[in-house]
Amino acid sequence: MCRVVVTGMGAITPIGNDIETFWNNLKNGVCGIDLIKRFDSSRLKVKLDAEVKDFNPKNYFDSMQEIRRSDLSTQYAVAASVEAVTSSGILNADLDKTRFGVYIGSGIGGVGTTVNELRKLDSKGPDRVSPFVVPMMISNMPAGTVAIKYGAKGPTVPIVTACATSSHSIGEAFRCIKHGYADAIIAGGTEASINEFSMAGFVSCQALNLTDKPEEGSLPFDKRRGGFVMGEGAAVVVLEEYEHARNRGAKILAEVVGYGNTCDAYHITAPDPEGEGAVRAFREAKEMAKVTDEDNVYINAHGTGTHLNDAMETKAIKEVFGKKAYDLHVSSTKSMTGHMMGATGAVEAIACILALNEGVIPPTINYKEKDEECDLDYTVNTALKTDITVALSSSLGFGGHNACLAFRKCD
């Protein structure tokens, strides 16, 4: 089977709209969480979110017509893909477009478009609903739009597994290339669900932290944690078959060496408290990556800041790594980005790749109070310089979907 490497990355996030800005802010503990500015939140109990700032779609699209026909989730996906594809240089190669694919998913899809068009339906009648409402709201359109932009005619699968969406997108793209079905795939996820409707729904299911203090919004593994903060954005990597990348002289950023994909089959929103599904996802990725006790391991944890997730994920890590768990470097970058939903797995995979290359563990910021159930080394408040040999990223979604990715530097 083929080896699979990463040759390009792109990101639109609450702490930066390109890889360099995102990484500098991430390792310096910059928080992207603030009071809601996107809409009037006075009717809601929730007051915080993690919004993308200063985003201009004109930088990534050829015409205003394309922008007007695209939901914000698609705009974010295109923007992240432009950076990833450009940085990879893959379009300058002799590329068979029938073996070039797109695996970009969204947990919720064009919900902003749905809300806006429903308001138009109610206030102005059905004849005023946009003729583009269907392609703008369906979850496959970010992948479809990116495929059209780059003429990618190979395997193209928009995955939807809630918070695990973009980790599964990268993992399944990895499998597709590994087994010979494609030479290169643009893979990742996108989300743009910061609106009154979505936020009201997450409040109703008691998932969000209701504080109005940004520094107390996202508190992964901290005893004070009270829910996650809604984020948004997109993150994309270019995955490529190793020989294909090497033959064209590409800069290889990391190798994908492991992937686990499991389901709890337990509850529509709550994780299995014993973490059995998460354990299997971690174990599958760890075994495929051939992780040993000699490896210096970093785990970018799902770490949402909800009581159930953080306690269960800690338990799962200890089950898989045993006593070695206490030597691992763990952090949750959601403390800075908020929970980017369908984009969160890919942006955290990128954090893993950057950590591998620079030898810096990004911190879990605003951590103050230890929880007895969460007793690992969470790299609290300050980044740590250390050379790591393998990095794992975990994502655990509503519906019990679990994913774990593993990366190493490429020999």
Side-chain angles (χ1 to χ4, degrees):
M1 290 186 288
C2 303
R3 295 172 67 185
V4 182
V5 295
V6 179
T7 58
M9 302 187 295
I12 300 292
T13 80
I15 58 171
N17 295 340
D18 58 75
I19 291 295
E20 182 179 6
T21 305
F22 162 72
W23 179 236
N24 283 335
N25 286 332
L26 199 73
K27 64 187 178 181
N28 286 305
V30 174
C31 187
I33 296 166
D34 205 343
L35 296 171
I36 296 169
K37 297 181 175 65
R38 183 69 52 80
F39 61 90
D40 179 4
S41 64
S42 58
R43 298 198 300 172
L44 295 179
K45 294 177 181 178
V46 65
K47 300 303 175 187
L48 300 178
D49 67 8
E51 299 175 14
V52 168
K53 291 89 173 169
D54 303 318
F55 177 73
N56 186 352
K58 294 179 182 178
N59 296 333
Y60 311 99
F61 286 81
D62 295 330
S63 70
M64 283 302 299
Q65 185 180 55
E66 288 181 289
I67 295 170
R68 286 193 293 268
R69 294 178 178 181
S70 300
D71 182 79
L72 187 57
S73 62
T74 295
Q75 294 174 23
Y76 286 160
V78 168
S81 297
V82 166
E83 184 182 16
V85 170
T86 301
S87 67
S88 75
I90 195 165
L91 296 184
N92 301 323
D94 183 16
L95 178 65
D96 180 353
K97 293 292 186 71
T98 67
R99 292 181 58 79
F100 183 34
V102 180
Y103 280 45
I104 295 177
S106 176
I108 303 176
V111 65
T113 292
T114 304
V115 170
N116 291 337
E117 294 300 319
L118 281 171
R119 286 173 176 157
K120 196 184 294 183
L121 172 67
D122 287 342
S123 63
K124 298 180 180 180
D127 291 342
R128 298 299 297 275
V129 171
S130 170
F132 299 103
V133 64
V134 173
M136 288 174 72
M137 74 180 185
I138 52 181
S139 296
N140 69 307
M141 201 47 61
T145 301
V146 171
I148 291 167
K149 183 176 182 66
Y150 293 112
K153 299 180 180 181
T156 295
V157 181
I159 289 171
V160 180
T161 50
C163 315
T165 292
S166 52
S167 288
H168 280 137
S169 296
I170 294 171
E172 295 304 319
F174 159 70
R175 283 180 174 172
C176 182
I177 296 171
K178 191 174 183 67
H179 289 275
Y181 297 107
D183 296 326
I185 296 178
I186 304 167
T190 185
E191 208 74 83
S193 52
I194 292 179
N195 57 66
E196 190 176 28
F197 172 67
S198 297
M199 301 285 268
F202 279 105
V203 169
S204 293
C205 71
Q206 300 180 334
L208 300 182
N209 193 327
L210 303 183
T211 182
D212 61 357
K213 298 176 181 177
E215 69 277 8
E216 297 179 2
S218 182
L219 301 173
F221 306 108
D222 189 303
K223 195 168 187 175
R224 300 168 298 142
R225 65 191 185 276
F228 69 80
V229 173
M230 180 77 82
E232 63 173 353
V236 168
V237 297
V238 175
L239 299 184
E240 197 169 346
E241 193 274 322
Y242 172 71
E243 295 295 341
H244 189 275
R246 193 179 70 166
N247 289 341
R248 70 178 184 86
K251 180 180 180 181
I252 295 175
L253 305 173
E255 182 173 359
V256 188
V257 291
Y259 171 50
N261 178 353
T262 69
C263 187
D264 289 351
Y266 172 77
H267 190 272
I268 58 173
T269 57
D272 178 350
E274 297 305 312
E276 187 268 340
V279 166
R280 286 188 292 113
F282 271 114
R283 185 165 284 142
E284 287 176 13
K286 175 177 179 279
E287 291 178 356
M288 189 181 295
K290 295 181 171 60
V291 178
T292 70
D293 287 346
E294 284 67 50
D295 277 307
N296 191 19
V297 179
Y298 167 52
I299 297 178
N300 189 302
H302 189 57
T304 58
T306 63
H307 178 78
L308 290 176
N309 174 90
D310 295 3
M312 178 277 290
E313 190 170 14
T314 298
K315 184 184 293 186
I317 291 170
K318 290 192 287 189
E319 175 69 22
V320 172
F321 287 90
K323 292 181 180 179
K324 178 71 175 177
Y326 293 96
D327 298 327
L328 305 177
H329 307 288
V330 182
S331 71
S332 172
T333 47
K334 287 184 180 71
S335 57
M336 293 172 273
T337 66
H339 193 342
M340 294 169 61
M341 310 302 289
T344 207
V347 83
E348 291 161 8
I350 288 172
C352 284
I353 294 165
L354 293 165
L356 272 171
N357 279 281
E358 195 165 320
V360 175
I361 308 296
T364 306
I365 68 167
N366 294 320
Y367 182 98
K368 288 184 179 178
E369 191 171 344
K370 183 174 181 178
D371 187 329
E372 294 78 8
E373 292 184 288
C374 302
D375 58 350
L376 300 178
D377 178 0
Y378 301 111
T379 320
V380 299
N381 300 322
T382 304
L384 174 69
K385 281 197 69 68
T386 181
D387 290 328
I388 56 175
T389 57
V390 61
L392 280 70
S393 176
S394 60
S395 296
L396 316 171
F398 279 6
H401 302 291
N402 307 302
C404 185
L405 297 166
F407 303 90
R408 287 186 185 271
K409 292 180 183 178
C410 189
D411 297 330

PDB file of all heavy atoms in Angstrom, residues 56-76:
ATOM      1  N   ASN A  56     -12.460  38.435   3.927  1.00  0.00           N
ATOM      2  CA  ASN A  56     -12.916  39.072   2.693  1.00  0.00           C
ATOM      3  C   ASN A  56     -12.947  38.038   1.571  1.00  0.00           C
ATOM      4  O   ASN A  56     -11.900  37.669   1.028  1.00  0.00           O
ATOM      5  CB  ASN A  56     -11.991  40.225   2.310  1.00  0.00           C
ATOM      6  CG  ASN A  56     -12.520  41.012   1.115  1.00  0.00           C
ATOM      7  OD1 ASN A  56     -13.490  40.622   0.466  1.00  0.00           O
ATOM      8  ND2 ASN A  56     -11.885  42.136   0.821  1.00  0.00           N
ATOM      9  N   PRO A  57     -14.131  37.563   1.191  1.00  0.00           N
ATOM     10  CA  PRO A  57     -14.207  36.522   0.161  1.00  0.00           C
ATOM     11  C   PRO A  57     -13.683  36.983  -1.196  1.00  0.00           C
ATOM     12  O   PRO A  57     -13.336  36.143  -2.042  1.00  0.00           O
ATOM     13  CB  PRO A  57     -15.698  36.186   0.100  1.00  0.00           C
ATOM     14  CG  PRO A  57     -16.400  37.384   0.657  1.00  0.00           C
ATOM     15  CD  PRO A  57     -15.470  37.939   1.691  1.00  0.00           C
ATOM     16  N   LYS A  58     -13.607  38.289  -1.428  1.00  0.00           N
ATOM     17  CA  LYS A  58     -13.102  38.794  -2.708  1.00  0.00           C
ATOM     18  C   LYS A  58     -11.651  38.369  -2.950  1.00  0.00           C
ATOM     19  O   LYS A  58     -11.194  38.353  -4.089  1.00  0.00           O
ATOM     20  CB  LYS A  58     -13.201  40.316  -2.758  1.00  0.00           C
ATOM     21  CG  LYS A  58     -14.630  40.851  -2.756  1.00  0.00           C
ATOM     22  CD  LYS A  58     -14.632  42.370  -2.775  1.00  0.00           C
ATOM     23  CE  LYS A  58     -16.041  42.923  -2.718  1.00  0.00           C
ATOM     24  NZ  LYS A  58     -16.055  44.409  -2.689  1.00  0.00           N
ATOM     25  N   ASN A  59     -10.953  38.037  -1.867  1.00  0.00           N
ATOM     26  CA  ASN A  59      -9.563  37.594  -2.013  1.00  0.00           C
ATOM     27  C   ASN A  59      -9.446  36.187  -2.586  1.00  0.00           C
ATOM     28  O   ASN A  59      -8.343  35.769  -2.964  1.00  0.00           O
ATOM     29  CB  ASN A  59      -8.855  37.645  -0.658  1.00  0.00           C
ATOM     30  CG  ASN A  59      -8.738  39.053  -0.114  1.00  0.00           C
ATOM     31  OD1 ASN A  59      -8.706  40.019  -0.870  1.00  0.00           O
ATOM     32  ND2 ASN A  59      -8.667  39.187   1.210  1.00  0.00           N
ATOM     33  N   TYR A  60     -10.567  35.467  -2.653  1.00  0.00           N
ATOM     34  CA  TYR A  60     -10.497  34.053  -3.019  1.00  0.00           C
ATOM     35  C   TYR A  60     -11.403  33.662  -4.187  1.00  0.00           C
ATOM     36  O   TYR A  60     -11.254  32.571  -4.730  1.00  0.00           O
ATOM     37  CB  TYR A  60     -10.859  33.188  -1.803  1.00  0.00           C
ATOM     38  CG  TYR A  60     -10.108  33.582  -0.556  1.00  0.00           C
ATOM     39  CD1 TYR A  60     -10.702  34.384   0.418  1.00  0.00           C
ATOM     40  CD2 TYR A  60      -8.793  33.190  -0.362  1.00  0.00           C
ATOM     41  CE1 TYR A  60     -10.006  34.764   1.558  1.00  0.00           C
ATOM     42  CE2 TYR A  60      -8.090  33.566   0.775  1.00  0.00           C
ATOM     43  CZ  TYR A  60      -8.710  34.359   1.728  1.00  0.00           C
ATOM     44  OH  TYR A  60      -8.033  34.745   2.848  1.00  0.00           O
ATOM     45  N   PHE A  61     -12.331  34.530  -4.553  1.00  0.00           N
ATOM     46  CA  PHE A  61     -13.269  34.240  -5.638  1.00  0.00           C
ATOM     47  C   PHE A  61     -13.005  35.171  -6.812  1.00  0.00           C
ATOM     48  O   PHE A  61     -12.538  36.299  -6.647  1.00  0.00           O
ATOM     49  CB  PHE A  61     -14.717  34.406  -5.159  1.00  0.00           C
ATOM     50  CG  PHE A  61     -15.201  33.306  -4.270  1.00  0.00           C
ATOM     51  CD1 PHE A  61     -14.894  33.297  -2.913  1.00  0.00           C
ATOM     52  CD2 PHE A  61     -15.975  32.270  -4.775  1.00  0.00           C
ATOM     53  CE1 PHE A  61     -15.348  32.287  -2.083  1.00  0.00           C
ATOM     54  CE2 PHE A  61     -16.425  31.251  -3.957  1.00  0.00           C
ATOM     55  CZ  PHE A  61     -16.117  31.255  -2.612  1.00  0.00           C
ATOM     56  N   ASP A  62     -13.370  34.720  -8.004  1.00  0.00           N
ATOM     57  CA  ASP A  62     -13.115  35.491  -9.218  1.00  0.00           C
ATOM     58  C   ASP A  62     -14.178  36.545  -9.492  1.00  0.00           C
ATOM     59  O   ASP A  62     -13.934  37.489 -10.253  1.00  0.00           O
ATOM     60  CB  ASP A  62     -13.011  34.550 -10.425  1.00  0.00           C
ATOM     61  CG  ASP A  62     -11.818  33.622 -10.334  1.00  0.00           C
ATOM     62  OD1 ASP A  62     -10.801  34.027  -9.733  1.00  0.00           O
ATOM     63  OD2 ASP A  62     -11.915  32.486 -10.841  1.00  0.00           O
ATOM     64  N   SER A  63     -15.374  36.405  -8.905  1.00  0.00           N
ATOM     65  CA  SER A  63     -16.438  37.365  -9.192  1.00  0.00           C
ATOM     66  C   SER A  63     -17.386  37.491  -8.007  1.00  0.00           C
ATOM     67  O   SER A  63     -17.515  36.584  -7.189  1.00  0.00           O
ATOM     68  CB  SER A  63     -17.232  36.931 -10.424  1.00  0.00           C
ATOM     69  OG  SER A  63     -18.005  35.771 -10.142  1.00  0.00           O
ATOM     70  N   MET A  64     -18.088  38.631  -7.949  1.00  0.00           N
ATOM     71  CA  MET A  64     -19.098  38.830  -6.917  1.00  0.00           C
ATOM     72  C   MET A  64     -20.261  37.870  -7.111  1.00  0.00           C
ATOM     73  O   MET A  64     -20.921  37.483  -6.141  1.00  0.00           O
ATOM     74  CB  MET A  64     -19.603  40.272  -6.946  1.00  0.00           C
ATOM     75  CG  MET A  64     -18.664  41.281  -6.314  1.00  0.00           C
ATOM     76  SD  MET A  64     -18.288  40.884  -4.573  1.00  0.00           S
ATOM     77  CE  MET A  64     -19.925  40.970  -3.844  1.00  0.00           C
ATOM     78  N   GLN A  65     -20.531  37.494  -8.338  1.00  0.00           N
ATOM     79  CA  GLN A  65     -21.613  36.550  -8.598  1.00  0.00           C
ATOM     80  C   GLN A  65     -21.350  35.220  -7.893  1.00  0.00           C
ATOM     81  O   GLN A  65     -22.256  34.638  -7.282  1.00  0.00           O
ATOM     82  CB  GLN A  65     -21.758  36.321 -10.095  1.00  0.00           C
ATOM     83  CG  GLN A  65     -22.951  35.437 -10.470  1.00  0.00           C
ATOM     84  CD  GLN A  65     -23.053  35.225 -11.961  1.00  0.00           C
ATOM     85  OE1 GLN A  65     -22.094  34.780 -12.607  1.00  0.00           O
ATOM     86  NE2 GLN A  65     -24.213  35.536 -12.529  1.00  0.00           N
ATOM     87  N   GLU A  66     -20.111  34.732  -7.944  1.00  0.00           N
ATOM     88  CA  GLU A  66     -19.764  33.496  -7.245  1.00  0.00           C
ATOM     89  C   GLU A  66     -19.970  33.643  -5.742  1.00  0.00           C
ATOM     90  O   GLU A  66     -20.452  32.723  -5.073  1.00  0.00           O
ATOM     91  CB  GLU A  66     -18.306  33.133  -7.516  1.00  0.00           C
ATOM     92  CG  GLU A  66     -18.005  32.625  -8.900  1.00  0.00           C
ATOM     93  CD  GLU A  66     -16.541  32.280  -9.044  1.00  0.00           C
ATOM     94  OE1 GLU A  66     -15.705  33.203  -9.077  1.00  0.00           O
ATOM     95  OE2 GLU A  66     -16.227  31.077  -9.103  1.00  0.00           O
ATOM     96  N   ILE A  67     -19.589  34.779  -5.205  1.00  0.00           N
ATOM     97  CA  ILE A  67     -19.725  35.016  -3.764  1.00  0.00           C
ATOM     98  C   ILE A  67     -21.187  35.024  -3.361  1.00  0.00           C
ATOM     99  O   ILE A  67     -21.586  34.403  -2.364  1.00  0.00           O
ATOM    100  CB  ILE A  67     -19.030  36.336  -3.374  1.00  0.00           C
ATOM    101  CG1 ILE A  67     -17.522  36.225  -3.610  1.00  0.00           C
ATOM    102  CG2 ILE A  67     -19.323  36.693  -1.916  1.00  0.00           C
ATOM    103  CD1 ILE A  67     -16.778  37.536  -3.492  1.00  0.00           C
ATOM    104  N   ARG A  68     -22.021  35.740  -4.133  1.00  0.00           N
ATOM    105  CA  ARG A  68     -23.446  35.834  -3.799  1.00  0.00           C
ATOM    106  C   ARG A  68     -24.136  34.482  -3.863  1.00  0.00           C
ATOM    107  O   ARG A  68     -25.143  34.266  -3.194  1.00  0.00           O
ATOM    108  CB  ARG A  68     -24.136  36.821  -4.736  1.00  0.00           C
ATOM    109  CG  ARG A  68     -23.810  38.283  -4.447  1.00  0.00           C
ATOM    110  CD  ARG A  68     -24.758  39.197  -5.195  1.00  0.00           C
ATOM    111  NE  ARG A  68     -24.568  39.122  -6.636  1.00  0.00           N
ATOM    112  CZ  ARG A  68     -23.754  39.915  -7.335  1.00  0.00           C
ATOM    113  NH1 ARG A  68     -23.056  40.860  -6.702  1.00  0.00           N
ATOM    114  NH2 ARG A  68     -23.644  39.781  -8.641  1.00  0.00           N
ATOM    115  N   ARG A  69     -23.599  33.565  -4.637  1.00  0.00           N
ATOM    116  CA  ARG A  69     -24.199  32.238  -4.780  1.00  0.00           C
ATOM    117  C   ARG A  69     -23.590  31.213  -3.841  1.00  0.00           C
ATOM    118  O   ARG A  69     -23.866  30.018  -3.966  1.00  0.00           O
ATOM    119  CB  ARG A  69     -24.042  31.761  -6.233  1.00  0.00           C
ATOM    120  CG  ARG A  69     -24.820  32.596  -7.230  1.00  0.00           C
ATOM    121  CD  ARG A  69     -24.580  32.116  -8.652  1.00  0.00           C
ATOM    122  NE  ARG A  69     -25.349  32.885  -9.612  1.00  0.00           N
ATOM    123  CZ  ARG A  69     -25.346  32.674 -10.929  1.00  0.00           C
ATOM    124  NH1 ARG A  69     -24.602  31.691 -11.434  1.00  0.00           N
ATOM    125  NH2 ARG A  69     -26.076  33.419 -11.740  1.00  0.00           N
ATOM    126  N   SER A  70     -22.779  31.657  -2.902  1.00  0.00           N
ATOM    127  CA  SER A  70     -22.078  30.736  -1.991  1.00  0.00           C
ATOM    128  C   SER A  70     -22.405  31.062  -0.544  1.00  0.00           C
ATOM    129  O   SER A  70     -22.301  32.226  -0.119  1.00  0.00           O
ATOM    130  CB  SER A  70     -20.558  30.838  -2.184  1.00  0.00           C
ATOM    131  OG  SER A  70     -20.192  30.514  -3.494  1.00  0.00           O
ATOM    132  N   ASP A  71     -22.793  30.052   0.215  1.00  0.00           N
ATOM    133  CA  ASP A  71     -22.935  30.214   1.662  1.00  0.00           C
ATOM    134  C   ASP A  71     -21.572  30.508   2.275  1.00  0.00           C
ATOM    135  O   ASP A  71     -20.520  30.177   1.711  1.00  0.00           O
ATOM    136  CB  ASP A  71     -23.508  28.937   2.272  1.00  0.00           C
ATOM    137  CG  ASP A  71     -23.739  29.046   3.764  1.00  0.00           C
ATOM    138  OD1 ASP A  71     -24.759  29.642   4.153  1.00  0.00           O
ATOM    139  OD2 ASP A  71     -22.900  28.560   4.536  1.00  0.00           O
ATOM    140  N   LEU A  72     -21.570  31.117   3.436  1.00  0.00           N
ATOM    141  CA  LEU A  72     -20.317  31.450   4.113  1.00  0.00           C
ATOM    142  C   LEU A  72     -19.470  30.207   4.367  1.00  0.00           C
ATOM    143  O   LEU A  72     -18.234  30.263   4.299  1.00  0.00           O
ATOM    144  CB  LEU A  72     -20.605  32.176   5.430  1.00  0.00           C
ATOM    145  CG  LEU A  72     -19.405  32.745   6.192  1.00  0.00           C
ATOM    146  CD1 LEU A  72     -18.600  33.726   5.339  1.00  0.00           C
ATOM    147  CD2 LEU A  72     -19.870  33.423   7.490  1.00  0.00           C
ATOM    148  N   SER A  73     -20.102  29.068   4.621  1.00  0.00           N
ATOM    149  CA  SER A  73     -19.336  27.840   4.843  1.00  0.00           C
ATOM    150  C   SER A  73     -18.550  27.460   3.594  1.00  0.00           C
ATOM    151  O   SER A  73     -17.406  26.999   3.682  1.00  0.00           O
ATOM    152  CB  SER A  73     -20.259  26.690   5.255  1.00  0.00           C
ATOM    153  OG  SER A  73     -21.200  26.394   4.234  1.00  0.00           O
ATOM    154  N   THR A  74     -19.122  27.662   2.433  1.00  0.00           N
ATOM    155  CA  THR A  74     -18.413  27.389   1.181  1.00  0.00           C
ATOM    156  C   THR A  74     -17.305  28.406   0.962  1.00  0.00           C
ATOM    157  O   THR A  74     -16.204  28.071   0.509  1.00  0.00           O
ATOM    158  CB  THR A  74     -19.403  27.413   0.004  1.00  0.00           C
ATOM    159  OG1 THR A  74     -20.326  26.333   0.148  1.00  0.00           O
ATOM    160  CG2 THR A  74     -18.685  27.272  -1.330  1.00  0.00           C
ATOM    161  N   GLN A  75     -17.570  29.670   1.287  1.00  0.00           N
ATOM    162  CA  GLN A  75     -16.543  30.701   1.143  1.00  0.00           C
ATOM    163  C   GLN A  75     -15.324  30.395   2.008  1.00  0.00           C
ATOM    164  O   GLN A  75     -14.176  30.519   1.555  1.00  0.00           O
ATOM    165  CB  GLN A  75     -17.126  32.068   1.507  1.00  0.00           C
ATOM    166  CG  GLN A  75     -18.206  32.550   0.555  1.00  0.00           C
ATOM    167  CD  GLN A  75     -18.863  33.833   1.011  1.00  0.00           C
ATOM    168  OE1 GLN A  75     -18.298  34.607   1.785  1.00  0.00           O
ATOM    169  NE2 GLN A  75     -20.077  34.082   0.536  1.00  0.00           N
ATOM    170  N   TYR A  76     -15.563  29.965   3.243  1.00  0.00           N
ATOM    171  CA  TYR A  76     -14.441  29.596   4.112  1.00  0.00           C
ATOM    172  C   TYR A  76     -13.665  28.412   3.522  1.00  0.00           C
ATOM    173  O   TYR A  76     -12.423  28.390   3.548  1.00  0.00           O
ATOM    174  CB  TYR A  76     -14.958  29.215   5.500  1.00  0.00           C
ATOM    175  CG  TYR A  76     -15.428  30.351   6.379  1.00  0.00           C
ATOM    176  CD1 TYR A  76     -16.275  30.110   7.458  1.00  0.00           C
ATOM    177  CD2 TYR A  76     -15.025  31.660   6.147  1.00  0.00           C
ATOM    178  CE1 TYR A  76     -16.707  31.133   8.290  1.00  0.00           C
ATOM    179  CE2 TYR A  76     -15.469  32.696   6.969  1.00  0.00           C
ATOM    180  CZ  TYR A  76     -16.311  32.424   8.044  1.00  0.00           C
ATOM    181  OH  TYR A  76     -16.741  33.440   8.860  1.00  0.00           O
TER     182      TYR A  76
END
